[in-house]
Amino acid sequence: MSDVTRNVALVAGGAGFIGSHLCRALLERGHEVICLDNLQTARPSNLRGLEQLPGFHFVEADVVNPLPAGVTARAARISRVYNLACAASPPHYQADPEHTMLTNVIGTHHLLRLAEQTGARFLLTSTSEVYGDPEMHPQQEEYRGSVNCTGPRACYDEGKRAAEALTFDYARLGRAEVRVARIFNTYGPNMDPEDGRVVSNLICQALAGGDITIHGDGTQTRSFCYVSDMVDGLIRLMESDIDGLEPVNLGNPIELTVNELLERIRSIVATHGHVVHLPLPQDDPRRRRPDISRAAAMLGWAPTVQVDFGLARTAEWFAGEIGVDSPLRLSEAAE
């Protein structure tokens, strides 16, 4: 079958934050896109605009269950399978830990079987959480991690580690052509204002003008990648000619403390809210920064969106989403 007739990309989790941006990018590249999502944590509003585009198909279903007819009917034309199906923020994935684990393991199995049966290339979006609270800094792909396998984050951390193991076993057995991306903190429009992640929390609290909550003393670090850069990395990885037998870190190597992140947001959003410190969640990583040498060498990829610019665009989007007038500094920073 020619590449022209096999131009369908399945995006599991396609109504989510990163998934919705990926769907749009694939449509712009000429793919027909099947967006598969159970809408458990995704926002239906993320589908606005996508549903009006030619070649976009939405199928509401859960990857834990056998794939529905809306997918299998087009299976012969699917050439790419992107697996982004899983809640990614701690409050969401801890709300139903059993489902989180099953999504990562059973859901990945269902999608790998589809790739095997159709000959489609498969990409798993894994996570920097496989490194746990890392003892290596920055984190390289060879690092095996420091994960609490019995803690409240284990449903996600160990679920993703299991998904990676299953994916690489399929590759070693010659059953599927695979790619594995380890995604670090990503932000941008289409985030859920109430997802509990640090960027959405701080921006929305700053916009609201009330108290701003920081877990711990704010010296813990993260590395923040704008969503357009992440989507570019995922597509480059999927379309690369690498053998796929090793994971690839995707993230922004610029490391910020949470306190520094807040100061950057305050330079964008005019707010005078007081900072309230809350206890640090169990097993919360102290430091997080990707080594992206492999992505640079194999994919020619590195983030291009500056953090301040990305935060301004994100704050502008959140302001419209939650119905808050944009403070002057926000609109100036986004130009």
Side-chain angles (χ1 to χ4, degrees):
M1 187 175 293
S2 72
D3 290 338
V4 174
T5 55
R6 292 197 61 195
N7 197 32
V8 177
L10 172 66
V11 182
F17 161 45
I18 298 176
S20 58
H21 287 275
L22 176 61
C23 286
R24 182 174 294 275
L26 291 170
L27 289 166
E28 290 172 352
R29 285 164 171 77
H31 284 277
E32 186 177 342
V33 172
I34 302 172
C35 170
L36 177 67
D37 206 297
N38 65 359
L39 300 181
Q40 179 177 334
T41 59
R43 307 176 72 228
S45 60
N46 287 347
L47 299 175
R48 281 194 222 120
L50 289 174
E51 293 178 315
Q52 310 304 318
L53 298 177
F56 180 80
H57 312 278
F58 174 65
V59 177
E60 185 174 353
D62 195 320
V63 293
V64 169
N65 302 318
L67 297 178
V71 172
T72 57
R74 297 182 177 88
R77 297 181 54 228
I78 295 173
S79 63
R80 299 289 186 266
V81 176
Y82 288 87
N83 182 11
L84 288 79
C86 189
S89 74
H92 285 172
Y93 67 65
Q94 291 175 15
D96 190 347
E98 178 185 9
H99 187 265
T100 298
M101 179 64 76
L102 294 177
T103 298
N104 283 315
V105 180
I106 303 301
T108 296
H109 180 244
H110 284 151
L111 294 170
L112 279 166
R113 286 293 305 274
L114 176 69
E116 178 184 24
Q117 293 162 4
T118 63
R121 186 177 290 177
F122 174 88
L123 186 148
L124 171 70
T125 56
S126 185
T127 172
S128 60
E129 297 294 338
V130 300
Y131 299 122
D133 188 5
E135 297 161 338
M136 170 187 281
H137 192 78
Q139 292 79 61
Q140 299 175 351
E141 290 90 347
E142 292 83 1
Y143 177 52
R144 296 182 180 181
S146 177
V147 175
N148 180 356
C149 62
T150 61
R153 302 170 71 103
C155 58
Y156 185 70
D157 301 1
E158 295 288 19
K160 287 292 190 180
R161 286 159 71 99
E164 284 195 19
L166 187 60
T167 298
F168 287 125
D169 282 339
Y170 262 70
R172 281 188 285 267
L173 293 169
R175 296 175 63 180
E177 185 182 0
V178 309
R179 307 285 187 267
V180 173
R182 288 178 177 167
I183 293 178
F184 284 67
N185 291 64
T186 306
Y187 70 100
N190 291 9
M191 295 183 79
D192 184 345
E194 299 180 356
D195 67 6
R197 296 191 236 197
V198 64
V199 170
S200 49
N201 277 354
L202 295 184
I203 290 178
C204 290
Q205 289 171 354
L207 286 169
D211 290 341
I212 296 174
T213 57
I214 287 181
H215 291 86
D217 62 8
T219 61
Q220 67 271 30
T221 69
R222 296 293 184 269
S223 301
F224 301 98
C225 185
Y226 193 66
V227 64
S228 61
D229 282 330
M230 182 57 63
V231 166
D232 177 52
L234 291 174
I235 294 175
R236 287 187 188 222
L237 179 58
M238 176 66 95
E239 300 305 324
S240 67
D241 293 327
I242 65 174
D243 61 22
L245 293 175
E246 51 192 6
V248 177
N249 286 340
L250 294 178
N252 192 331
I254 296 175
E255 183 180 9
L256 297 174
T257 68
V258 173
N259 290 331
E260 289 170 338
L261 173 66
L262 176 56
E263 288 311 305
R264 290 184 180 230
I265 291 171
R266 279 177 155 170
S267 72
I268 296 166
V269 180
T271 181
H272 302 288
H274 297 291
V275 175
V276 176
H277 291 274
L278 300 177
L280 200 63
Q282 182 179 341
D283 301 324
D284 194 63
R286 293 161 294 175
R287 301 190 71 183
R288 183 63 58 73
R289 177 188 169 198
D291 183 322
I292 61 168
S293 301
R294 182 174 292 175
M298 291 183 169
L299 312 178
W301 179 86
T304 61
V305 177
Q306 297 298 313
V307 173
D308 289 336
F309 180 84
L311 288 173
R313 284 295 175 88
T314 305
E316 192 169 40
W317 182 84
F318 272 128
E321 193 70 8
I322 66 178
V324 176
D325 290 336
S326 299
L328 178 61
R329 287 205 299 250
L330 190 156
S331 59
E332 290 174 342
E335 291 178 354

